[in-house]
């Protein structure tokens, strides 16, 4: 009979997702007893394949879209000593409707917050927000119906719902007395040493078009900046947050400052894959007006293409305190691009 896992001190929601698996692996490697909200048994297989000892792992069935996380009384009792909650769960796909995106990305964020408030030993809730999300120093939630409709029309359901979820937890956490950190990562690429991917949206779609010869012109300008971060660095950062953050509400933007501007980044990947780089640039506004069948560009991806720069001062301070440094970026980008090609960009097996 396998040994019983110790009472978990950390709960990871979204544990079977791309980033969730790496965070669980990082926490177990640190000797942290972890509870993971899972469906099926694939997580344990993945962890063991990556050298993890999973004897300190507890698995529970949870449903973020339901109050109380849909936990059974037995599972809720097993999580009585949880002090850190990482909510990495979200519905991440372009082309969603608001009705599809909101249950997990907005209501689910609040369910995780309210459940966290019931833990007597709670130290911190860490909420994974979205790229280009959470930059309003005074968020408002809820918005009136007209403003909500306009937000969805402007950004698309995925990004709009992540913005609303971020605002919801930042507004509600102080009212419930829940210490909160929101983490806003840039585009997450694969593992720095292996390139292991698992996420095929966003920048990966540009690489897919590039590899297949369908990116004759690159949307954006010479100053367009689409920053990246490796999944292993982000997992280490997330694991360090509860130990180092002390403010009642804290927000961090996490990106690798070595990221080149987008035209240079795409040229680097093109050279590594041995394909022709885009011949020039095309303004994002023009791409929006052209038929999607002609451009191959998902309209929701275009909101990520900006010349903006991001304030990473708080994340840099935490990383320094935790002894974290970004792995070398250029080799990581090459590993990731090669792995995307090897995995056929997530295409189902033939």
């Amino acid at each position: 009979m396998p040994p019983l896992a110790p009472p978990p001190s950390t709960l990871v929601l979204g544990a079977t997702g791309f980033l969730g698996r790496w965070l669980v692996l990082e926490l177990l490697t640190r000797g942290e007893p972890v509870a993971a909200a899972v469906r099926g048994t694939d997580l344990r297989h993945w962890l063991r394949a990556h050298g993890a000892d999973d004897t300190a792992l507890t698995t529970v069935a949870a449903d973020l879209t339901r109050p109380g996380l849909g936990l059974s009384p037995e599972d809720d009792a097993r999580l009585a000593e949880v002090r850190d909650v990482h909510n990495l769960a979200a519905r991440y796909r372009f082309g969603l409707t608001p009705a599809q995106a909101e249950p997990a990305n907005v209501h689910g964020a609040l369910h995780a917050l309210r459940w966290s408030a019931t833990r007597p030993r709670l130290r911190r809730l860490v909420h994974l927000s979205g790229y280009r999300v959470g930059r309003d120093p005074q968020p408002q939630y809820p918005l009136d119906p007209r403003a909500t409709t306009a937000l969805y029309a402007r950004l698309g359901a995925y990004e709009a719902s992540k913005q609303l979820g971020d605002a919801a937890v930042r507004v509600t956490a102080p009212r419930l007395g829940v210490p909160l950190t929101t983490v806003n990562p840039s585009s997450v690429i694969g593992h720095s040493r292996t390139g292991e991917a698992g996420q095929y949206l966003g920048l990966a779609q540009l690489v897919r078009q590039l590899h297949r010869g369908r990116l004759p012109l690159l949307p954006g300008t010479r100053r367009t900046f689409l920053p990246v971060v490796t999944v292993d660095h982000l997992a280490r950062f997330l694991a360090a947050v509860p130990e180092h953050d002390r403010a009642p509400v804290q927000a961090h933007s996490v990106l690798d400052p070595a990221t080149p501007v987008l035209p240079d980044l795409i040229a680097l990947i093109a050279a590594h894959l041995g394909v022709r780089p885009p011949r020039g640039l095309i303004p994002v506004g023009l791409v929006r007006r052209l038929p999607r069948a002609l451009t191959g560009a998902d309209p929701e991806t275009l909101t990520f293409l900006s010349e903006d720069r991001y304030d990473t001062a708080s994340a840099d301070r935490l990383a320094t305190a935790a002894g974290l440094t970004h792995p070398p970026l250029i080799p990581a980008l090459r590993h990731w691009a090669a792995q995307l090609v090897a995995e056929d960009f997530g295409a189902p097996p033939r």
Side-chain angles (χ1 to χ4, degrees):
M1 184 174 179
L4 292 176
S9 58
T10 299
L11 171 65
V12 179
L13 300 167
T16 56
F18 169 56
L19 180 53
R21 293 175 302 190
W22 289 104
L23 176 58
V24 172
L25 177 62
E26 175 66 23
L27 292 167
L28 290 174
T29 301
R30 292 172 175 228
E32 187 87 17
V34 180
V38 301
R39 295 176 181 174
T41 59
D42 288 347
L43 178 62
R44 287 191 185 273
H45 295 323
W46 185 91
L47 290 168
R48 291 168 184 170
H50 288 75
D53 178 355
D54 66 345
T55 55
L57 177 66
T58 298
T59 57
V60 296
D63 183 350
L64 195 75
T65 66
R66 295 174 58 192
L69 304 181
L71 292 165
S72 68
E74 294 77 14
D75 278 345
D76 191 78
R78 294 164 74 195
L79 304 177
E81 296 187 33
V82 162
R83 61 177 186 166
D84 300 327
V85 179
H86 287 267
N87 181 19
L88 278 57
R91 190 157 188 193
Y92 182 28
R93 183 164 63 81
F94 296 139
L96 297 171
T97 66
Q100 292 171 325
E102 283 192 352
N105 297 354
V106 183
H107 308 313
L110 285 171
H111 291 155
L113 171 64
R114 290 172 179 140
W115 181 87
S116 299
T118 69
R119 298 304 95 179
R121 299 186 61 214
L122 184 72
R123 179 169 63 170
R124 186 154 294 264
L125 167 64
V126 183
H127 174 82
L128 188 75
S129 223
Y131 176 45
R132 296 178 58 76
V133 167
R135 293 183 291 169
D136 185 348
Q138 295 183 317
Q140 295 183 3
Y141 183 85
L143 301 179
D144 66 68
R146 185 175 297 180
T148 300
T149 299
L151 184 68
Y152 276 109
R154 179 167 58 87
L155 299 178
Y158 170 71
E159 189 178 359
S161 64
K162 289 298 289 182
Q163 286 214 15
L164 290 171
D166 177 273
V169 295
R170 290 168 64 199
V171 167
T172 309
R175 299 173 184 169
L176 298 180
V178 172
L180 171 71
T181 294
T182 58
V183 176
N184 307 286
S186 59
S187 187
V188 184
I189 63 171
H191 193 280
S192 62
R193 294 191 302 277
T194 67
E196 186 171 343
Q199 188 165 283
Y200 307 103
L201 294 178
L203 181 58
Q205 291 181 315
L206 277 180
V207 177
R208 179 177 180 270
Q209 290 178 282
L210 175 73
H211 181 253
R212 297 184 177 179
R214 298 173 183 168
L215 194 64
L217 297 173
L218 180 65
T221 72
R222 280 298 312 168
R223 297 179 298 278
T224 297
F225 184 52
L226 184 58
V228 301
V229 63
T230 62
V231 69
D232 43 319
H233 178 84
L234 183 56
R236 290 192 296 270
F237 184 93
L238 288 167
V241 164
E243 180 182 353
H244 291 276
D245 274 352
R246 295 290 180 268
V249 177
Q250 180 68 63
H252 301 296
S253 292
V254 183
L255 59 87
D256 191 326
T259 308
V261 292
L262 184 61
D264 294 347
L265 187 154
I266 292 295
L268 181 156
I269 292 175
H272 182 64
L273 297 179
V275 298
R276 179 178 295 177
R279 293 191 296 272
L281 300 166
I282 181 171
V284 170
L286 178 57
V287 178
R288 290 185 194 278
R289 294 193 293 271
L290 293 173
R292 182 175 175 180
L294 177 64
T295 65
D298 190 311
E300 289 189 58
T301 66
L302 299 177
T303 63
F304 293 81
L305 301 180
S306 165
E307 296 181 4
D308 291 351
R309 298 301 188 265
Y310 305 89
D311 182 0
T312 63
S314 66
D316 295 342
R317 286 193 297 270
L318 188 147
T320 299
L324 303 179
T325 57
H326 288 275
L329 181 61
I330 302 307
L333 282 167
R334 290 170 175 157
H335 293 321
W336 172 66
Q339 190 65 24
L340 285 174
V341 172
E343 296 175 1
D344 197 19
F345 300 90
R350 294 183 177 86

